[in-house]
C-alpha cells in the first residue's frame, strides 16, 4: 500500500507516524511545500518574544529524524499542484528548481492546513507587514526586529495569535496597539467575559482600539501607517496581521472534492472526503461541533492530531470515528489565563439551543494559603436537564485545570448535579474543599431546584425605575460607599433580618453583593420571609468590569429569566 500525504505539521505528521505504527510495510510519502515538516506552530509567538531561544526547538521532527525512526519519505519544498483522482496521481513541483513530476497513490491524505487571512486592502503587501503562520514567517519577523530595532507595532486582530504577539512584542519593549474590528477580543468568550481582558490589556500598557475597521496601509520612509475608517491612522514601525485563518483548499476544489463552510473540505466521521481513497484532516476540514451538532471550523491542534490518527486507522482497515470538537482553548496573556470550551452564548443562540448561565467568582485555592487569586467562571447549561453546554474562565493560576475538568464534563454529557458530586484533588496550595467547578455546580443546582432566581447585567436596562421594584445592595458600608449601582437601597446582609420591615413585600427585590454569594444568602433569607427575590449573577465586581468597558450602552434589552 502506498500512501501520499499532502502537508505535515499536526494532522499530516500524526497520520504518517500512526500509519507506520500500524503497517510496517506501507510506502509513506509526505509532500510539504515549506521547509519544515513538523513544527510547534503554537510556539511561534514565543520565539519572537524570546521565551523560546533556540530555532531548533520549534522543529519537532526533521525529514532525517522522521526517516530514521519511521522510514517515511519526507519531501520538503515539494508542492502538490494538482490531484488527478481518476488516475490516482499527484502532480508535484520541486520548489528549488521548478521541475515537476507525478506521484501515484493508493490512498491520499490532505492536510493543507489554513492560511492567514489577507484582505485585498491598499498596501497589504508592504515589507513592514507580517503574518505568523509558519517557521519561515517567524524567522522573517525575528530578523526584521533584530535588524530594524522597531519601537512601535500594530497588531491587527484580537484573537489567539494577535494577543500572543501583542504580549511578546510588548515584552521586547515595543509600544503596542491592537486593532480589532469587533467590539471585543477573544471571540470564544462572550462580551461580558472579554471585558476583564480589555481592562487587563490596558493595565499592561497595550493600546486597544475596538470596533475599528482597517481600510489600508501606507508605507513611510521609516515606518508604516495603518489606516482606519473615519480617517484615523496609527503610526508604527511594523504591522502584524492576525485577522484569522481560512482553509487552504484550492487544491481540493480543483480536484473536485465537495466543499463546505468557508470553502473547507467536507469529510465524514471517518475523515473520508467525497472522492474515494482521499482523506482530509486538520484546519482545512469541516467538522461537527460536539455540543451543537452544527457544521463548523475549529482550527486547533488537538482536533487535527486526532483526525490524523483516525484517518490512519481507517486506511489500515480500522473503524475509527471522529465524534466532533468542542473548541477547548486556552491563552496565556502575561500573567492572565483565558480559557473556553463548548458553546458560548452567541453559538448557543445561533444553534437555537435553550440555555441558562451562571457567573461565579472563586479563588484558585484556599484563601488562607498565601497567593490565592480569583477567577471568573461563566457556565452555560441546559435549563431543563442541567447538562453543561459550555464554560469560559478568566483568571490567573488554576484556570487551565478547571477548564479541562469542565471540558471533560461536557464530553461526558454531565449535568450540574454531576459537577456537585465530582471529587477533585484538594490541598490548600492547589484548591479548596469545594473546588470552583463544584461551586459552579452548586449554583446551577440552586437555580434548577428553584431555591434562587437570578438576573444578569443585561437585564438592568429592563428594570423599571418607577418604584415598582426594589434594588437592594447587601455589601458592607465601606463597599457601598466605594461605589454602587444607582437607585439601590443599602442593607448589609448581616443585619438584613433586623430590617425586613423596611422592605415592601408586594414588590420584587433585585439583590446584589460583590460576587453573588452574599446576595444569594440574602435571597434565601428574603424568600423564606415571603419576598419575591432575584440574585445578581456575577455581583457588583462583574458589573463594574462591564460598566467601565462601556458595555451597558450596547446591552441587549431583553430579560433573562427575570420577572418584571
Amino acid at each position: 500500500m502506498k500512501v501520499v500525504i499532502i502537508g505535515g505539521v499536526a494532522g499530516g505528521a500524526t497520520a504518517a507516524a500512526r500509519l507506520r505504527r500500524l503497517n510496517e510495510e506501507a510506502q509513506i510519502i509526505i509532500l510539504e511545500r515549506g521547509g519544515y515538516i513538523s513544527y510547534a506552530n503554537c510556539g511561534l509567538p514565543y520565539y519572537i518574544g524570546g521565551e523560546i531561544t533556540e530555532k531548533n526547538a520549534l522543529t519537532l521532527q526533521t525529514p532525517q529524524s522522521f526517516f530514521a525512526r519511521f522510514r517515511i519519505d519526507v519531501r520538503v519544498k515539494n508542492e502538490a499542484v494538482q490531484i488527478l483522482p481518476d488516475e490516482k496521481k499527484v502532480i508535484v513541483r520541486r520548489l528549488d528548481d521548478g521541475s515537476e513530476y507525478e506521484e501515484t497513490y493508493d490512498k491520499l491524505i490532505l492536510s493543507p492546513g489554513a492560511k492567514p487571512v489577507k484582505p485585498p486592502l491598499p498596501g497589504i503587501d508592504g515589507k513592514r507587514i507580517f503574518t505568523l503562520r509558519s517557521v519561515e514567517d517567524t524567522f522573517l519577523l525575528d530578523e526584521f526586529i533584530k535588524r530594524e530595532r522597531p519601537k512601535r507595532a500594530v497588531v491587527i486582530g484580537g484573537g489567539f495569535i494577535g494577543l500572543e504577539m501583542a504580549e511578546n512584542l510588548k515584552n521586547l519593549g515595543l509600544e503596542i496597539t491592537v486593532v480589532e474590528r469587533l467590539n471585543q477580543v477573544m471571540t470564544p468568550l462572550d462580551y461580558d467575559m472579554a471585558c476583564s481582558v480589555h481592562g487587563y490589556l490596558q493595565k499592561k500598557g497595550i493600546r486597544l482600539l475596538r470596533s475599528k475597521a482597517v481600510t489600508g496601509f501606507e508605507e513611510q520612509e521609516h515606518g508604516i501607517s495603518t489606516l482606519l475608517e473615519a480617517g484615523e491612522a496609527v503610526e508604527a514601525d511594523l504591522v502584524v496581521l492576525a485577522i484569522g485563518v481560512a482553509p487552504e483548499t484550492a487544491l481540493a476544489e480543483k480536484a473536485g472534492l465537495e466543499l463546505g463552510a468557508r470553502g473547507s473540505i467536507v469529510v465524514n466521521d471517518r475523515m473520508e472526503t467525497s472522492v474515494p481513497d482521499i482523506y482530509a484532516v486538520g484546519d482545512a476540514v469541516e467538522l461537527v461541533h460536539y455540543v451543537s451538532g452544527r457544521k463548523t471550523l475549529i482550527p486547533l491542534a488537538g482536533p487535527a492530531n486526532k483526525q490524523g490518527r483516525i484517518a490512519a486507522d481507517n486506511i489500515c482497515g480500522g473503524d475509527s470515528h471522529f465524534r466532533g470538537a468542542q473548541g477547548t482553548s486556552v491563552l496565556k496573556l502575561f500573567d492572565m489565563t483565558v480559557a473556553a470550551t463548548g458553546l458560548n452564548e452567541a453559538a448557543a443562540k445561533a444553534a437555537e439551543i435553550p440555555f441558562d448561565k451562571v457567573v461565579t467568582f472563586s479563588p484558585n485555592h484556599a484563601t488562607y494559603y498565601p497567593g490565592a487569586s480569583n477567577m471568573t467562571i461563566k457556565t452555560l447549561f441546559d435549563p431543563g436537564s442541567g447538562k453543561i453546554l459550555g464554560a469560559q474562565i478568566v483568571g490567573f493560576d488554576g484556570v487551565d485545570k478547571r477548564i479541562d475538568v469542565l471540558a471533560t464534563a461536557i464530553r461526558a454529557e454531565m449535568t450540574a448535579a454531576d459537577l456537585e458530586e465530582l471529587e477533585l484533588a484538594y490541598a490548600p496550595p492547589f484548591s479548596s474543599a469545594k473546588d470552583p467547578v463544584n461551586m459552579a455546580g452548586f449554583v446551577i443546582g440552586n437555580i434548577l431546584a428553584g431555591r434562587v432566581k437570578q438576573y444578569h447585567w443585561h437585564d438592568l436596562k429592563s428594570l423599571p425605575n418607577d418604584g415598582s421594584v426594589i434594588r437592594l445592595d447587601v455589601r458592607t458600608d465601606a463597599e457601598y460607599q466605594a461605589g454602587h449601582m444607582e437607585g439601590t437601597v443599602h442593607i448589609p446582609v448581616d443585619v438584613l433580618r433586623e430590617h425586613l420591615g423596611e422592605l415592601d413585600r408586594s414588590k420584587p427585590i433585585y439583590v446584589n453583593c460583590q460576587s453573588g454569594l452574599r446576595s444569594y444568602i440574602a435571597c434565601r433569607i428574603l424568600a423564606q420571609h415571603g419576598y419575591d427575590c432575584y440574585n445578581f449573577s456575577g455581583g457588583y465586581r462583574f458589573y463594574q468590569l462591564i460598566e467601565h468597558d462601556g458595555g451597558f450602552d450596547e446591552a441587549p434589552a431583553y430579560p433573562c429569566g427575570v420577572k418584571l
Side-chain angles (χ1 to χ4, degrees), residues 338-351:
V338 180
T341 186
L343 300 180
N344 59 17
E345 288 196 56
K349 290 172 186 174

Side-chain angles (χ1 to χ4, degrees), residues 225-474:
S225 295
T226 299
L227 308 178
L228 308 178
E229 56 189 358
E232 297 180 73
V234 183
E235 307 298 326
D237 302 308
L238 69 91
V239 170
V240 176
L241 283 179
I243 300 172
V245 295
E248 191 158 350
T249 54
L251 191 64
E253 182 178 19
K254 189 176 179 181
L257 276 65
E258 182 183 354
L259 302 183
R262 294 177 57 197
S264 58
I265 303 171
V266 172
V267 293
N268 61 20
D269 62 1
R270 289 169 51 87
M271 308 316 299
E272 296 169 324
T273 71
S274 60
V275 175
D277 297 320
I278 299 181
Y279 295 73
V281 301
D283 294 355
V285 306
E286 179 185 73
L287 50 78
V288 174
H289 195 286
Y290 182 79
V291 183
S292 71
R294 290 167 66 98
K295 298 293 182 65
T296 187
L297 299 176
I298 299 180
L300 294 173
N305 276 281
K306 294 179 181 69
Q307 291 162 6
R309 184 181 176 92
I310 288 168
D313 285 354
N314 292 321
I315 287 173
C316 292
D319 188 28
S320 295
H321 300 264
F322 185 68
R323 298 178 59 200
Q326 61 199 63
T328 303
S329 56
V330 65
L331 169 75
K332 172 191 174 296
L333 187 60
F334 299 100
D335 296 322
M336 177 178 273
T337 306
V338 180
T341 186
L343 300 180
N344 59 17
E345 288 196 56
K349 290 172 186 174
E352 299 182 344
I353 294 175
F355 71 93
D356 201 349
K357 61 195 175 188
V358 296
V359 177
T360 51
F361 192 57
S362 299
N364 66 308
H365 61 63
T367 53
Y368 60 81
Y369 187 87
S373 61
N374 286 301
M375 62 183 78
T376 304
I377 304 178
K378 181 175 185 177
T379 311
L380 272 63
F381 62 96
D382 184 308
S385 67
K387 186 171 73 171
I388 306 303
L389 302 175
Q392 303 157 48
I393 310 180
V394 178
F396 297 89
D397 292 339
V399 169
D400 54 339
K401 170 182 175 179
R402 275 65 186 213
I403 204 67
D404 282 345
V405 174
L406 288 164
T408 303
I410 291 171
R411 181 63 58 158
E413 301 188 359
M414 296 172 69
T415 67
D418 295 319
L419 296 190
E420 294 183 50
E421 295 296 327
L422 284 178
E423 185 176 340
L424 302 172
Y426 160 61
F430 301 104
S431 184
S432 299
K434 292 182 285 190
D435 189 86
V437 173
N438 297 133
M439 292 302 299
F442 295 148
V443 174
I444 296 170
N446 285 332
I447 292 168
L448 293 174
R451 297 186 189 96
V452 67
K453 294 178 286 188
Q454 62 177 346
Y455 68 112
H456 301 280
W457 66 272
H458 51 71
D459 297 319
L460 292 172
K461 289 176 64 175
S462 302
L463 293 180
N465 293 311
D466 58 3
S468 59
V469 303
I470 299 172
R471 304 185 189 203
L472 177 63
D473 190 317
V474 297

Side-chain angles (χ1 to χ4, degrees), residues 50-345:
E51 294 292 325
I52 298 172
T53 57
E54 299 295 329
K55 285 186 176 182
N56 58 13
L58 297 174
T59 305
L60 305 178
Q61 291 282 357
T62 65
Q64 294 76 21
S65 67
F66 228 55
F67 182 81
R69 173 130 333 150
F70 298 110
R71 296 302 188 267
I72 290 172
D73 181 2
V74 178
R75 304 174 189 175
V76 296
K77 298 185 179 179
N78 276 244
E79 180 181 14
V81 295
Q82 188 176 2
I83 301 169
L84 304 173
D86 293 338
E87 303 174 45
K88 286 196 170 184
K89 291 180 180 178
V90 179
I91 308 300
V92 187
R93 178 180 298 133
R94 299 182 183 93
L95 298 183
D96 286 339
D97 60 14
S99 63
E100 294 186 356
Y101 63 95
E102 293 182 352
E103 194 65 63
T104 61
Y105 65 86
D106 296 311
K107 304 289 184 180
L108 179 67
I109 300 177
L110 297 180
S111 180
K115 57 187 176 183
V117 173
K118 289 186 68 174
L121 298 173
I124 192 72
D125 294 319
K127 66 179 184 293
R128 292 178 178 269
I129 300 177
F130 299 86
T131 57
L132 199 73
R133 188 64 180 170
S134 67
V135 175
E136 289 88 349
D137 292 339
T138 305
F139 292 161
L140 191 67
L141 176 55
D142 182 61
E143 290 164 4
F144 176 89
I145 292 172
K146 290 175 178 175
R147 182 180 67 251
E148 301 292 333
R149 300 188 180 279
K151 298 290 189 291
R152 303 164 299 170
V154 170
V155 177
I156 313 296
F160 289 97
I161 295 296
L163 295 188
E164 287 171 349
M165 282 305 304
E167 174 193 355
N168 280 281
L169 290 172
K170 180 68 176 178
N171 287 340
L172 290 178
L174 278 71
E175 296 178 12
I176 307 298
T177 300
V178 174
V179 180
E180 171 55 57
R181 181 177 59 86
L182 303 177
N183 74 330
Q184 69 166 89
V185 301
M186 290 301 293
T187 54
L189 301 180
D190 290 315
Y191 166 75
D192 50 12
M193 292 293 287
C195 290
S196 295
V197 184
H198 300 160
Y200 185 72
L201 284 169
Q202 294 170 38
K203 180 181 177 181
K204 286 295 183 179
I206 291 177
R207 182 187 181 199
L208 179 58
L209 301 179
R210 293 179 288 136
S211 301
K212 299 287 186 180
V214 176
T215 59
F217 304 91
E218 287 184 357
E219 196 157 337
Q220 317 294 337
E221 183 179 357
H222 299 292
I224 186 169
S225 295
T226 299
L227 308 178
L228 308 178
E229 56 189 358
E232 297 180 73
V234 183
E235 307 298 326
D237 302 308
L238 69 91
V239 170
V240 176
L241 283 179
I243 300 172
V245 295
E248 191 158 350
T249 54
L251 191 64
E253 182 178 19
K254 189 176 179 181
L257 276 65
E258 182 183 354
L259 302 183
R262 294 177 57 197
S264 58
I265 303 171
V266 172
V267 293
N268 61 20
D269 62 1
R270 289 169 51 87
M271 308 316 299
E272 296 169 324
T273 71
S274 60
V275 175
D277 297 320
I278 299 181
Y279 295 73
V281 301
D283 294 355
V285 306
E286 179 185 73
L287 50 78
V288 174
H289 195 286
Y290 182 79
V291 183
S292 71
R294 290 167 66 98
K295 298 293 182 65
T296 187
L297 299 176
I298 299 180
L300 294 173
N305 276 281
K306 294 179 181 69
Q307 291 162 6
R309 184 181 176 92
I310 288 168
D313 285 354
N314 292 321
I315 287 173
C316 292
D319 188 28
S320 295
H321 300 264
F322 185 68
R323 298 178 59 200
Q326 61 199 63
T328 303
S329 56
V330 65
L331 169 75
K332 172 191 174 296
L333 187 60
F334 299 100
D335 296 322
M336 177 178 273
T337 306
V338 180
T341 186
L343 300 180
N344 59 17
E345 288 196 56

Side-chain angles (χ1 to χ4, degrees), residues 32-62:
E32 171 57 49
R33 179 177 56 193
Y36 300 86
I37 178 58
S38 180
Y39 56 89
N41 195 306
C42 298
L44 301 181
Y46 301 101
Y47 180 81
I48 298 297
E51 294 292 325
I52 298 172
T53 57
E54 299 295 329
K55 285 186 176 182
N56 58 13
L58 297 174
T59 305
L60 305 178
Q61 291 282 357
T62 65

